[in-house]
Amino acid sequence: MSKGNLLYAQSGGVTAVINATASAVISEARSRKIKVLAARNGILGALREELIDTSKESAANIAALAHTPGGAFGSCRYKLKSLEADRAKYERLLEVLQAHDVRWFLYNGGNDSADTALKVSQLAKEFGYPLTCVGVPKTIDNDLAVTDTCPGFGSAAKYTAVSVREAALDVAAMAETSTRVFIYEAMGRHAGWLAAAAGLAGEGPDEAPHIILLPERAYDEASFLAKVKQVVAKVGYCVVVASEGIHTADGQFVADAGGGKDSFGHTQLGGVASHLAGRVKAALGFKVHWTLPDYLQRSARHVASKTDWEQAQAVGKAAVRYALEGRNSVMPVIVRSSDVPYRWKIEAAPLSKVANHEKKMPAGFIRKDGFGITEKARRYLQPLIRGEAPLPYGRDGLPKYVTLKNVPVAKKLPA
């Protein structure tokens, strides 16, 4: 086998199954006698030469990663700009890779991470350094281009659908004398996939969620309030699922948190459920409860989807295989070959077709009134939340998760 090490890094918001991908990457590399280094806190760790020696971890701990949520090596939201604007940082990254004989770089993240992996591969080629860069898909937003779905989404979708169904039963039981409207806020800045997944909680027109607000459709307050009033009059209560990224026709976010922008240039969002609850109470007089599950959506490993868990491991194994085959600037993506029965496979896609492209909900997935999903969307979404991923529990009644030792690698470069 070729000499050299493999560097793995996690990026952006973590998921319930990103460590399943990490476990698969390390296990597959070990089976091929390749040493895996991990960047502490994502790309920042690589820039700071803060690397972790995964060979110091037992096989049992690496296996346990497959059912542990969070990001085992740490992640970060840190956007590297163009090669011209951030050239010093890219060159520093290349210096670190050279110093530690890294010949394969696997970056596990979303759109921006695919772009970074692509740029690193271009710089390595410019300097004549033998480096193979592979992007590994991850996001709960399901907005990556090319891939049919994205590891992390199925489990967050399952959590959302389960939570909405259970909450709806609670609201229905108390509606006569208490809460009439319940509002659930789902993650999703520009794409409403997660909010749409809540539609799996019910099937008939009178089953919750009765209203789904998606960023793909402009929010109109008058229409929304009229729909809430109509549903309460007919059903007795109303369950609303709102994507955090809903906006008015002029592009203004309904829930702009006023917290500025993050390193990716994204406006900080939050509080759309609270805002909508206030408007419903003020305009219609109904008692309203709302919830902001936030990180719970992406960390809920206890209700992870088996489909999602298996796909997260499949892309990790394929990423190592592609890297060692020298397939540079690609990403293992999920290709659906059948809805019924549900069948999928892994194929390689060029990073150039994934980087900085955003996949939104197709028009055919959204009901004509804009307040729900179609049967076409249901056929797409349902297989992704199917099955329960294995999870060991301890005598204390809690899941048995693992914390790695994360032994650092000695630095070789100036800070």
Side-chain angles (χ1 to χ4, degrees), residues 88-373:
K89 292 177 182 176
Y90 282 104
E91 290 185 1
R92 162 69 177 182
L93 181 58
L94 196 58
E95 287 174 0
V96 172
L97 298 180
Q98 290 176 310
H100 294 274
D101 196 22
V102 172
R103 301 302 175 91
W104 305 281
F105 175 45
L106 270 56
Y107 203 15
N108 198 176
N111 297 310
D112 292 301
S113 304
D115 180 60
T116 297
L118 178 60
K119 287 182 170 64
V120 172
S121 70
Q122 293 169 344
L123 188 70
K125 184 177 181 180
E126 178 185 330
F127 277 79
Y129 181 66
L131 179 71
T132 300
C133 297
V134 176
V136 190
K138 173 255 23 161
T139 176
I140 68 165
D141 294 324
N142 202 40
D143 59 354
L144 283 187
V146 185
T147 186
D148 176 72
T149 185
C150 191
F153 170 69
S155 295
K158 187 180 183 81
Y159 173 87
T160 300
V162 169
S163 298
V164 170
R165 174 173 284 189
E166 291 177 339
L169 293 172
D170 187 297
V171 177
M174 298 296 295
E176 180 66 25
T177 58
S178 185
T179 303
R180 290 282 187 170
V181 179
F182 175 71
I183 304 175
Y184 180 106
E185 180 173 332
M187 286 181 172
R189 178 174 302 275
H190 299 299
W193 294 102
L194 204 50
L200 298 175
E203 295 186 4
D206 294 339
E207 295 182 16
H210 307 100
I211 299 174
I212 303 177
L213 300 178
L214 304 165
E216 285 83 358
R217 295 291 178 87
Y219 170 73
D220 179 76
E221 184 176 277
S223 298
F224 167 66
L225 293 173
K227 184 65 174 178
V228 171
K229 185 176 181 180
Q230 177 189 37
V231 172
V232 172
K234 182 181 180 182
V235 183
Y237 66 100
C238 180
V239 173
V240 178
V241 175
S243 173
E244 66 178 352
I246 60 172
H247 54 81
T248 54
D250 62 1
Q252 179 68 33
F253 284 116
V254 173
D256 188 333
K261 297 181 183 295
D262 63 19
S263 61
F264 292 101
H266 299 154
T267 300
Q268 182 184 342
L269 300 179
V272 70
S274 173
H275 172 81
L276 295 175
R279 295 303 302 135
V280 168
K281 182 175 178 59
L284 304 178
F286 296 135
K287 183 174 181 180
V288 187
H289 271 240
W290 60 272
T291 188
L292 175 59
D294 200 52
Y295 281 12
L296 300 179
Q297 295 163 93
R298 70 189 200 200
S299 64
R301 177 58 181 80
H302 62 290
V303 287
S305 151
K306 184 179 181 181
T307 298
D308 191 36
W309 183 68
E310 291 176 342
Q311 291 176 341
Q313 293 173 86
V315 298
K317 291 179 181 178
V320 173
R321 188 172 71 250
Y322 293 164
L324 299 185
E325 290 172 355
R327 302 176 73 172
N328 197 22
S329 300
V330 300
M331 173 180 281
V333 298
I334 297 162
V335 176
R336 182 183 302 223
S337 52
S338 172
D339 282 329
V340 184
Y342 176 57
R343 291 196 178 101
W344 56 275
K345 58 185 176 180
I346 303 295
E347 292 184 356
L351 281 178
S352 58
K353 292 188 176 181
V354 180
N356 297 318
H357 294 285
E358 192 170 47
K359 180 180 69 178
K360 296 186 178 182
M361 288 269 292
F365 281 18
I366 305 172
R367 244 172 33 198
K368 287 185 178 180
D369 67 358
F371 290 132
I373 62 172

